[in-house]
């Protein structure tokens, strides 16, 4: 049997199935038009999106309007906006101890500084790494894989690895001891623990953003760099006038993704520090988890209200960034 005959034999049942499906789809297209067919093919995806994304959001909002410790809505009492009022009940918002929910505002403050420092350092490190990896290096593919590898690890695994490195009898203190230094409690000092959560988070996620920026760098036409070199343009000017403007769309994507990821930080920090020492590394997602599930006096309604507020902040920040990005893009086209 020839290769063509064998292929025809394999395609016979496929063609028969297509003829069966084709008839009702043609009738549907005649009845609804092209736009109706688009809606038909999008319907399964929208159904899944509605069940697993929109419906949980609605249920979460309903939970935020209820009180009590029970999980089933039928056993919870309607309290309206009481949970939101409880979260915003403060004498001085800059002093968490003056708030009714001091842990919430402590988590807000910690998350704010974490996001500000982590996102800034993440973007800077990813950009520098992408610029280096875009050069003609020896074993360039290997180094790209090395920087991307941490992204493939589970956040729990990342937390456990760095806990093993940073604990008092861990690898880092062992290395320092070999050079005559005294072991240090990296995970019990407030300043160093906060810095450790930022560093570990950057190490774990930088590879993805580096890859996005590297793709943007490789999409920039080489002719522009050659023309700049022929004109004797300094490297710093080339970066500010060519590389950075053309990399702006990729940078916007990185900023949005990094911001969302930083606000939602939980897994690796929870494994690494558990929110301690004290509340120095208590972030919003951990507060929501502990308030809704882990605390002895759990309050799912309060946790739901906090998560709704966090989601609204993320939406507003994302829209602002996209608006700034579009405005910059429109200016560049003029």
């Amino acid at each position: 049997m020839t290769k063509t005959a064998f292929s025809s034999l394999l395609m016979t049942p496929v063609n028969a199935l297509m003829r069966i499906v084709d008839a009702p789809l043609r009738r549907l297209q005649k009845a609804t038009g092209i736009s109706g067919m688009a809606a038909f093919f999008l319907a399964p995806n929208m159904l899944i999106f509605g069940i697993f994304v929109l419906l949980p959001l609605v249920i979460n909002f309903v939970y935020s309007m209820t009180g009590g410790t029970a999980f089933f809505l039928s056993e919870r009492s309607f309290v309206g906006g009481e949970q939101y009022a409880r979260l915003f009940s403060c004498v001085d918002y800059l002093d968490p101890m003056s708030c009714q929910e001091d842990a919430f505002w402590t988590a807000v403050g910690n998350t704010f500084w974490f996001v500000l420092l982590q996102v800034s350092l993440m973007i800077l490190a990813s950009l520098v790494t992408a610029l280096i990896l875009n050069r003609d290096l020896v074993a360039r593919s290997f180094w790209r894989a090395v920087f991307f590898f941490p992204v493939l690890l589970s956040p729990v695994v990342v937390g456990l690895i760095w806990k093993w490195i940073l604990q008092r009898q861990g690898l880092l203190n062992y290395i320092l001891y070999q050079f005559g230094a005294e072991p240090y409690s990296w995970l019990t000092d407030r300043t160093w623990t906060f810095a450790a959560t930022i560093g570990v988070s950057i190490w774990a996620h930088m590879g993805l953003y580096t890859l996005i920026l590297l793709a943007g760098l490789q999409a920039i036409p080489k002719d522009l760099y050659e023309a700049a070199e022929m004109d004797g343009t300094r490297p710093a000017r080339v970066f500010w006038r060519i590389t950075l403007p053309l990399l702006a769309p990729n940078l916007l994507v990185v900023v949005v993704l990094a911001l969302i990821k930083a606000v939602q930080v939980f897994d690796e920090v929870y494994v690494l520090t558990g929110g301690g020492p004290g509340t120095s590394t208590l972030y919003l997602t951990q507060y929501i988890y502990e308030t809704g599930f882990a605390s002895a006096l759990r309050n799912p309604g309060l946790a739901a209200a906090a998560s709704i507020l966090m989601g609204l902040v993320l939406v507003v920040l994302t829209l602002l960034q996209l608006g700034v990005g579009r405005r910059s893009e429109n200016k560049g086209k003029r």
Side-chain angles (χ1 to χ4, degrees):
M1 181 181 293
T2 63
K3 185 176 180 179
T4 304
F6 182 70
S7 300
S8 300
L9 182 63
L10 288 177
M11 290 301 296
T12 299
V14 177
N15 292 332
L17 179 62
M18 290 297 101
R19 283 193 293 270
I20 295 172
V21 174
D22 183 65
L25 288 180
R26 284 182 179 275
R27 291 172 185 168
L28 181 64
Q29 183 175 345
K30 288 180 181 179
T32 62
I34 298 296
S35 59
M37 290 300 293
F40 173 77
F41 285 111
L42 284 173
N45 186 50
M46 295 307 296
L47 180 63
I48 294 172
F49 181 80
I51 292 174
F52 294 103
V53 178
L54 292 181
L55 183 60
L57 284 175
V58 173
I59 294 174
N60 194 46
F61 179 73
V62 173
Y63 262 95
S64 72
M65 295 291 183
T66 61
T69 59
F71 278 113
F72 294 105
L73 280 173
S74 59
E75 301 174 4
R76 297 179 60 79
S77 58
F78 179 78
V79 296
E82 184 179 309
Q83 306 288 14
Y84 296 95
R86 181 174 173 179
L87 290 175
F88 284 99
S89 178
C90 280
V91 177
D92 181 5
Y93 290 104
L94 298 179
D95 180 14
M97 299 309 296
S98 69
C99 302
Q100 183 177 353
E101 281 299 315
D102 58 304
F104 172 74
W105 287 102
T106 298
V108 169
N110 290 342
T111 304
F112 171 79
W113 288 112
F114 177 85
V115 170
L116 183 65
L117 295 172
Q118 193 258 16
V119 173
S120 302
L121 294 174
M122 175 86 78
I123 294 171
L124 179 62
S126 300
L127 181 58
V128 171
T129 306
L131 289 170
I132 293 173
L133 294 178
N134 194 45
R135 295 176 175 272
D136 292 327
L137 301 174
V138 177
R140 183 170 60 177
S141 299
F142 168 76
W143 290 114
R144 290 177 180 176
V146 166
F147 278 97
F148 187 74
F149 177 73
V151 180
L152 304 177
L153 297 176
S154 164
V156 175
V157 173
V158 170
L160 290 173
I161 290 173
W162 281 98
K163 190 171 186 177
W164 173 68
I165 293 173
L166 296 174
Q167 62 188 351
R168 186 168 180 81
Q169 296 183 352
L171 179 62
L172 180 58
N173 277 334
Y174 174 77
I175 295 173
L176 293 176
Y177 178 76
Q178 300 303 312
F179 288 94
E182 290 293 325
Y184 192 78
S185 301
W186 304 99
L187 299 180
T188 57
D189 182 283
R190 285 176 172 266
T191 303
W192 282 111
T193 304
F194 183 75
T197 60
I198 293 175
V200 169
S201 181
I202 291 174
W203 180 85
H205 305 291
M206 188 183 73
L208 174 63
Y209 308 125
T210 298
L211 191 66
I212 295 173
L213 294 177
L214 185 59
L217 288 172
Q218 293 182 338
I220 299 175
K222 302 294 184 184
D223 298 345
L224 297 176
Y225 292 113
E226 293 175 358
E229 186 178 356
M230 291 176 64
D231 290 340
T233 309
R234 291 176 300 171
R237 189 172 179 82
V238 170
F239 174 77
W240 289 107
R241 294 294 185 178
I242 297 177
T243 304
L244 204 58
L246 294 178
L247 198 60
N250 297 74
L251 274 171
L252 179 62
V253 172
V254 166
V255 171
V256 172
L257 293 179
L259 182 69
I260 293 173
K261 190 70 177 177
V263 173
Q264 295 176 333
V265 65
F266 173 67
D267 309 68
E268 58 261 32
V269 175
Y270 188 73
V271 173
L272 186 66
T273 67
T279 56
S280 60
T281 57
L282 175 66
Y283 301 123
L284 262 177
T285 309
Q286 183 177 340
Y287 167 82
I288 293 168
Y289 164 72
E290 291 185 347
T291 303
F293 301 100
S295 174
L297 300 174
R298 63 173 182 262
N299 189 335
L302 191 64
S307 66
I308 291 291
L309 292 175
M310 185 177 75
L312 289 175
V313 169
L314 279 175
V315 169
V316 170
L317 290 175
T318 302
L319 291 176
L320 285 174
Q321 291 176 82
L322 292 176
V324 171
R326 288 176 182 173
R327 187 174 299 177
S328 301
E329 186 177 346
N330 292 334
K331 285 183 179 179
K333 290 179 179 179
R334 291 175 186 175

